[in-house]
């Protein structure tokens, strides 16, 4: 089924509003509210971490205490009280089980509602899922098949224990502990996440996928993902995110680090539909995420694709450091904001090596009273001879009370660089809507169709099974934006 | 099947239709001719239910139903089709996907089962051949980069696919050379049927040489000023709209 044909499901999904806004009622094991060095020690102890990890966390925590929250983004939100949140929450029963059969049925039910069965069905679809429920990875499937290929795909907490040397070698090498306020906070308190290692010359036999979900009230989620693709390997990874409806704002500050060694390729896709808040702007996730990939080896490639439809606040700039000669970085983005949502998102392409190439395709859609900003940096360093970048930023406005902003930063210290930047801003035209209505589509179906068309270049980058879901999300997230 | 009585309609604050009355019979082809600014396109948009075209008085009854109470898309589902003078472009949406989405939306609204991609493809292919709409066109984004002739052929293809009971053709001849016009007219004529009424709106008599109407109505200054058989077109060609336009408002 092609990405642009599944209109039947798309239409059926309309009218569901935020269907992921349910709360799973299970007993939680929480750390006391607030943040101090003892909480950091508590988290580390809960995870049975080696000493070096605790020290790493404490160093980050000390550093974080000296930092101030950045305010350069075009975002307005109430000040976050970092002491008024829980930094560790785990379903109480998880400590025991090792097998899927032992998992609390309520948890599995939650995943079922999210549409990610942890069973045979996904095997048929060829998807391995590492499901993160609040702070603990509940179950990991398909380990066996991946093991055969030598691929490590496991919860971060497990990796820290079982593959300590490997994690230690790469953790924090792309996003340093001191990188920025939110990344440093994450370094101190990250609770779980995913670790992937693909050995030399291995093409990962399936799409890897992690669903993150914030369930517990007033719990920040600080997951940490590290993907290392060794020489000549390939991996495609997808994360999907949903969160239940709550009145208060929840903080999500994740860090994702990608390392591509010589000739390796990493494709990282995100479908983010955290709870965006209600139509009056109440509630919703504050999403402050640091994602960065390092094309460390020659001829390596990192490709980011993101579909951001949720969160009240999105602050996110998945970036590529093009260190290896002939390396390639790509960023494909759809950011949709409706009602009072605000997104400040984009990328950084840092060209260090020779003949490095980057491509940025950004599609921003703004409706209601939302603000949508593309912020991107293309930087060509002195030694990056023959660097090339192509940037295309398109904004689509629905209605007259929303805003779209494009803030490109371009720096070139090498005269051989070739940089192109194209930007457009348009509105959904009344005649387009009328045309669709006259042919029988409802206003919401028409908007979903037109916006999906606008986003096509990016949707095409998603793995097939997720492209369909993303397409539906585009429709759902723009509900009520016309008529 | 369609009865328009004393229709008054505004675009913005300006009254364009000023007491228009027209009856269209089942299975007949009616043509409306008239000078620029007489209200021809406004009539087509009012029939389709376009936003911004406000009916201030009068009534339209469609198969016994109050048409003005229906939403734009409901009218489409009840088989009113408007072939537009300027078909719009929708980037990134393939023509085939658009046809499938629209047809299924209409079918759903009528409580009929939806077609899967393969059945629609077969259906569209069969209809497309007659109009020389090729595969390649169906794969391109809707109307993007289409020539004037291609756009109009695609409108007629949609008319054929949606099987309207009332088809309104708004200046379908505009922007077409004679070969393209013939092709489109053949397509339209192939769709004439005892169950289908058509309202052909045109400024020129030329189109009516190829789509020969049962009745011709002349619209000027927002109301009907003359009516006759197909020979009326040629009389108008000889005399022009000059005198008719001067009917007191």
């Amino acid at each position: 089924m092609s990405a642009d044909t599944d209109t039947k499901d798309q239409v059926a999904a309309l009218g569901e509003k935020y269907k992921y806004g349910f709360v799973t009622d299970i007993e939680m094991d929480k750390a006391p509210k607030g943040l101090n060095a003892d909480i950091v020690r508590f988290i580390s102890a809960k995870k049975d971490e080696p000493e070096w990890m605790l020290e790493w966390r404490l160093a980050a925590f000390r550093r974080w205490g000296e930092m101030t929250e950045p305010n350069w983004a075009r975002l307005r939100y109430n000040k976050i009280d970092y002491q008024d949140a829980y930094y560790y929450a785990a379903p109480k029963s998880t400590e025991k089980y090792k097998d899927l059969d032992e998992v609390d049925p309520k948890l599995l039910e939650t995943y079922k509602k999210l549409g990610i069965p942890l069973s045979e069905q996904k095997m048929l679809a060829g998807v391995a899922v590492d499901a993160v429920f609040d702070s603990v990875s509940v179950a990991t499937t398909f380990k066996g098949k991946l093991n055969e290929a030598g691929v490590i795909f496991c919860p971060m907490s497990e990796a820290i224990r079982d593959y300590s040397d490997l994690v230690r070698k790469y953790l924090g090498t792309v996003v340093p502990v001191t990188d920025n306020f939110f990344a440093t906070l994450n370094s101190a308190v990250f609770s779980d996440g995913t670790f992937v290692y693909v050995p030399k010359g291995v093409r990962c036999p399936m799409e890897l996928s992690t669903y993150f979900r914030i369930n517990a009230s007033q719990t920040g989620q600080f997951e940490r993902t590290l993907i290392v693709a060794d020489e000549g390997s390939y991996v495609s990874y997808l994360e999907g995110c949903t969160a239940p409806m709550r009145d208060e704002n929840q903080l999500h500050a994740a860090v994702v680090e990608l390392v591509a060694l010589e000739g390796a390729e990493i494709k990282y896709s995100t479908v983010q539909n955290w709870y965006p808040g209600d139509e009056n702007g109440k509630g919703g996730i504050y999403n402050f995420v640091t994602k960065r990939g390092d094309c460390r080896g020659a001829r390596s490639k990192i490709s980011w694709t993101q579909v951001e439809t949720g969160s009240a606040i999105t602050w996110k700039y998945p970036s590529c450091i093009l260190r290896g000669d002939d390396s390639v970085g790509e960023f494909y983005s759809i950011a949709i904001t409706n009602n009072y949502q605000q997104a400040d998102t984009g990328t950084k392409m840092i060209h260090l090596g020779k003949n490095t190439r980057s491509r940025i395709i950004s599609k921003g859609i703004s409706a209601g009273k939302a603000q949508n900003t593309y912020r991107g940096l293309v930087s060509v360093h002195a030694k990056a001879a023959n660097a090339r970048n192509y940037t295309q930023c398109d904004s689509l406005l629905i209605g007259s009370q929303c805003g779209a902003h494009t803030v490109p930063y371009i720096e070139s210290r090498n005269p051989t660089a070739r940089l192109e930047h194209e930007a457009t801003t348009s509105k959904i035209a009344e005649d387009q809507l009328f045309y669709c209505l006259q042919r029988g589509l409802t206003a919401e179906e028409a908007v979903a169709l037109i916006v999906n068309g606008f986003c096509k270049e990016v949707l095409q980058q998603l793995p097939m099974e997720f492209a369909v879901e993303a397409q539906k999300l585009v429709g759902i997230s723009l509900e009520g934006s016309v008529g | 099947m369609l009865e328009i009585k004393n229709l008054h309609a505004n675009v913005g604050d300006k009254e364009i239709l000023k007491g228009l009355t027209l009856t269209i019979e089942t299975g007949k082809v009616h043509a409306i001719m008239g000078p620029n600014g007489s209200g021809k396109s406004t009539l087509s948009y009012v029939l389709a239910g376009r936003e911004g075209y406000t009916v201030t008085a009068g009534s339209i009854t469609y198969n016994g139903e109050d048409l003005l109470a229906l939403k734009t898309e409901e009218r489409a589902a009840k088989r009113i089709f408007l072939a537009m003078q300027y078909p719009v472009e929708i980037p990134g949406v393939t023509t085939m996907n658009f046809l499938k989405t629209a047809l299924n939306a209409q079918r759903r609204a009528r409580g009929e089962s939806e077609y899967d991609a393969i059945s629609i493809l077969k259906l569209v292919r069969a209809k497309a051949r007659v109009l020389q709409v090729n595969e390649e066109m169906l794969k391109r984004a809707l109307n993007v980069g289409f020539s004037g002739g291609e756009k109009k052929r695609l409108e007629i293809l949609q008319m054929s696919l949606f099987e309207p009971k009332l088809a309104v053709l708004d200046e379908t001849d505009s922007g077409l050379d004679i070969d393209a016009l013939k092709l489109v007219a053949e397509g339209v004529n192939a769709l004439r049927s005892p169950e289908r009424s058509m309202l052909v709106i045109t400024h020129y008599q030329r189109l009516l040489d190829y789509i020969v109407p049962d009745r011709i109505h002349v619209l000027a200054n927002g109301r009907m000023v003359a009516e006759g058989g197909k020979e009326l077109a040629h009389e108008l060609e000889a005399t022009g709209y000059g005198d008719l336009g001067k009917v007191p408002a």
Side-chain angles (χ1 to χ4, degrees):
Chain A
M1 190 182 299
S2 90
D4 59 17
T5 54
D6 195 45
T7 36
K8 179 180 160 187
D9 289 353
Q10 185 185 326
V11 166
L14 284 164
E16 286 179 52
K17 293 286 174 193
Y18 195 74
K19 71 168 176 175
Y20 303 114
F22 50 84
V23 176
T24 307
D25 185 20
I26 37 178
E27 255 192 286
M28 300 298 290
D29 183 10
K30 279 183 186 171
K33 215 177 207 181
L35 182 54
N36 54 49
D38 286 339
I39 295 288
V40 175
R41 287 191 189 92
F42 175 89
I43 294 167
S44 187
K46 272 279 171 196
K47 308 219 159 262
D48 202 11
E49 287 177 349
E51 189 61 24
W52 69 265
M53 196 67 244
L54 175 62
E55 288 308 319
W56 201 82
R57 286 176 180 276
L58 287 170
F61 178 70
R62 282 191 296 273
R63 177 63 190 228
W64 182 70
E66 297 158 10
M67 298 169 95
T68 48
E69 203 174 316
N71 63 358
W72 42 261
R74 194 186 177 93
L75 300 169
R76 293 175 66 181
Y77 54 95
N78 294 329
K79 202 152 173 49
I80 302 167
D81 183 353
Y82 292 92
Q83 296 303 333
D84 189 31
Y86 296 99
Y87 287 83
Y88 181 87
K92 250 193 184 146
S93 52
T94 55
E95 285 160 17
K96 292 172 242 128
Y97 48 71
K98 293 187 176 68
D99 191 299
L100 208 61
D101 299 338
E102 301 169 29
V103 173
D104 189 331
K106 276 187 191 166
L107 267 185
L108 295 178
E109 189 57 34
T110 303
Y111 288 123
K112 211 179 270 174
K113 280 190 217 168
L114 289 171
I116 40 161
L118 287 165
S119 51
E120 304 291 314
Q121 300 163 34
K122 279 285 167 175
M123 179 117 78
L124 295 170
V127 179
V129 177
D130 174 22
V132 176
F133 194 92
D134 286 334
S135 307
V136 172
S137 277
V138 175
T140 302
T141 49
F142 303 102
K143 262 192 189 160
K145 198 169 171 190
L146 292 171
N147 276 344
E148 270 172 47
V151 175
I152 301 170
F153 175 49
C154 68
M156 183 57 94
S157 50
E158 207 176 299
I160 289 167
R161 291 193 299 267
D162 299 351
Y163 308 98
S164 187
D165 291 345
L166 206 49
V167 172
R168 202 172 178 180
K169 184 174 173 189
Y170 291 104
L171 191 72
T173 63
V174 186
V175 178
V177 167
T178 55
D179 191 77
N180 70 71
F181 184 83
F182 297 106
T184 306
L185 174 62
N186 174 287
S187 301
V189 303
F190 75 85
S191 37
D192 217 323
T194 302
F195 176 70
V196 177
Y197 174 79
V198 189
K200 269 185 201 175
V202 170
R203 195 177 166 88
C204 186
M206 59 184 79
E207 302 271 352
L208 302 180
S209 163
T210 303
Y211 262 76
F212 291 109
R213 179 167 162 76
I214 298 177
N215 189 64
S217 166
Q218 284 182 291
T219 309
Q221 177 142 341
F222 304 91
E223 81 271 9
R224 184 103 197 177
T225 298
L226 172 62
I227 298 176
V228 180
D230 214 325
E231 292 172 18
S233 67
Y234 169 84
V235 62
S236 169
Y237 181 89
L238 183 125
E239 59 168 358
C241 320
T242 55
M245 285 187 236
R246 291 193 189 280
D247 286 346
E248 74 267 42
N249 299 103
Q250 280 177 279
L251 176 65
H252 175 249
V255 172
V256 175
E257 296 178 277
L258 310 182
V259 179
L261 300 182
E262 192 177 320
E265 180 177 348
I266 302 175
K267 186 173 166 61
Y268 192 104
S269 313
T270 304
V271 175
Q272 185 264 114
N273 61 330
W274 299 119
Y275 181 51
D278 68 11
E279 59 274 21
N280 300 311
K282 192 170 166 53
I285 298 290
Y286 287 173
N287 195 30
F288 292 89
V289 171
T290 304
K291 292 185 171 179
R292 196 172 301 152
D294 189 356
C295 286
R296 209 161 276 183
R299 297 178 311 283
S300 56
K301 178 177 176 183
I302 288 177
S303 181
W304 297 99
T305 304
Q306 62 172 18
V307 179
E308 303 280 325
T309 65
S311 294
I313 302 280
T314 298
W315 181 98
K316 184 182 170 192
Y317 315 90
S319 303
C320 296
I321 299 167
L322 302 169
R323 199 183 302 275
D325 290 347
D326 303 293
S327 61
V328 176
E330 292 177 336
F331 175 72
Y332 296 95
S333 172
I334 297 170
I336 299 179
T337 50
N338 194 3
N339 297 318
Y340 286 87
Q341 281 178 274
Q342 302 173 68
D344 192 303
T345 186
T347 185
K348 289 189 271 187
M349 293 291 174
I350 315 291
H351 292 257
L352 301 177
K354 293 186 188 68
N355 306 317
T356 47
R357 285 173 289 148
S358 62
R359 183 177 172 85
I360 299 170
I361 308 287
S362 165
K363 304 279 181 178
I365 298 105
S366 206
K369 292 181 176 163
Q371 296 294 330
N372 202 322
T373 302
Y374 167 81
R375 188 182 302 276
L377 168 69
V378 176
S379 176
V380 178
H381 287 238
K383 288 179 181 165
N386 300 315
R388 286 170 62 185
N389 164 265
Y390 174 75
T391 300
Q392 187 187 328
C393 293
D394 297 322
S395 302
L396 186 68
L397 299 169
I398 302 172
S400 54
Q401 290 177 290
C402 53
H405 316 275
T406 303
V407 191
Y409 303 82
I410 299 169
E411 306 168 352
S412 179
R413 296 199 189 83
N414 188 305
T416 62
R418 275 197 287 160
L419 311 175
E420 288 176 73
H421 181 97
E422 288 181 24
T424 65
T425 301
S426 53
K427 286 184 86 163
I428 287 192
E430 187 275 332
D431 61 352
Q432 285 179 320
L433 271 181
F434 170 64
Y435 191 87
C436 293
L437 295 181
Q438 206 294 308
R439 302 299 144 96
L441 280 71
T442 64
E444 284 182 342
E445 288 165 348
V447 168
L449 186 78
I450 293 167
V451 173
N452 271 307
F454 175 76
C455 298
K456 190 177 189 180
E457 281 167 282
V458 177
L459 290 169
Q460 280 173 336
Q461 298 296 326
L462 287 171
M464 198 60 82
E465 53 273 53
F466 301 112
V468 173
E469 182 183 345
Q471 223 187 354
K472 282 188 238 168
L473 265 180
V474 167
I476 293 169
S477 54
L478 286 168
E479 268 182 12
S481 60
V482 289
Chain B
M1 61 102 61
L2 187 79
E3 267 197 84
I4 304 173
K5 280 185 186 160
N6 189 33
L7 186 71
H8 290 256
N10 287 9
V11 179
D13 293 335
K14 194 167 184 235
E15 184 168 65
I16 306 291
L17 299 182
K18 304 166 182 174
L20 183 147
T21 294
L22 173 70
T23 301
I24 292 181
E25 291 165 43
T26 307
K28 300 288 186 203
V29 175
H30 293 246
I32 293 185
M33 301 185 70
N36 290 331
S38 58
K40 301 189 300 291
S41 284
T42 297
L43 175 62
S44 71
Y45 292 142
V46 168
L47 288 171
R50 185 171 189 163
E51 204 182 311
Y53 291 75
T54 321
V55 173
T56 53
S59 67
I60 305 179
T61 311
Y62 171 68
N63 288 331
E65 203 171 350
D66 177 10
L67 185 72
L68 298 174
L70 300 175
K71 288 191 206 166
T72 314
E73 66 270 24
E74 291 167 345
R75 298 181 197 191
K78 287 181 188 283
R79 300 185 188 272
I80 289 183
F81 179 82
L82 169 60
M84 302 210 193
Q85 185 178 3
Y86 305 108
V88 301
E89 301 182 356
I90 305 185
V93 176
T94 64
T95 301
M96 194 57 220
N97 184 29
F98 182 81
L99 297 179
K100 172 174 174 251
T101 306
L103 183 58
N104 277 336
Q106 292 185 25
R107 291 182 64 84
R108 204 164 42 243
R110 291 193 293 261
E112 296 165 3
S113 66
E114 290 177 39
Y115 284 131
D116 61 34
I118 292 166
S119 339
I120 290 205
L121 189 62
K122 280 184 186 157
L123 191 63
V124 170
R125 273 185 186 151
K127 308 222 179 230
R129 218 167 288 134
V130 186
L131 289 155
Q132 297 181 18
V133 170
N134 57 32
E135 276 312 277
E136 186 265 337
M137 245 175 98
L138 296 171
K139 284 179 189 158
R140 276 151 65 188
L142 184 74
N143 288 320
V144 177
F146 284 28
S147 71
E150 287 174 329
K151 284 182 182 174
K152 293 297 167 74
R153 265 146 58 201
L154 184 61
E155 291 294 285
I156 304 307
L157 171 62
Q158 291 181 64
M159 176 171 151
S160 162
L161 190 63
F162 301 150
E163 301 182 324
K165 289 201 166 80
L166 173 64
V168 181
L169 287 80
D170 188 9
E171 306 272 2
T172 294
D173 50 331
S174 71
L176 298 186
D177 60 32
I178 194 70
D179 291 332
L181 177 65
K182 276 182 183 167
L183 188 59
V184 166
E186 275 169 32
V188 173
N189 286 329
L191 294 172
R192 291 176 87 140
S193 113
E195 285 86 45
R196 179 169 298 136
S197 307
M198 294 190 194
L199 185 59
V200 181
I201 293 174
T202 183
H203 184 90
Y204 301 104
Q205 160 266 333
R206 183 180 74 154
L207 177 67
L208 303 182
D209 287 343
Y210 298 97
I211 304 173
V212 180
D214 298 300
R215 297 296 292 168
I216 292 180
H217 312 261
V218 180
L219 180 63
N221 202 16
R223 62 177 66 148
M224 294 304 179
V225 292
E227 193 186 328
K230 60 185 179 226
E231 64 289 344
L232 184 59
H234 291 277
E235 290 169 25
L236 280 172
E237 181 79 350
T239 59
Y241 292 114
D243 294 339
L244 297 164
K246 285 180 195 128
V247 170

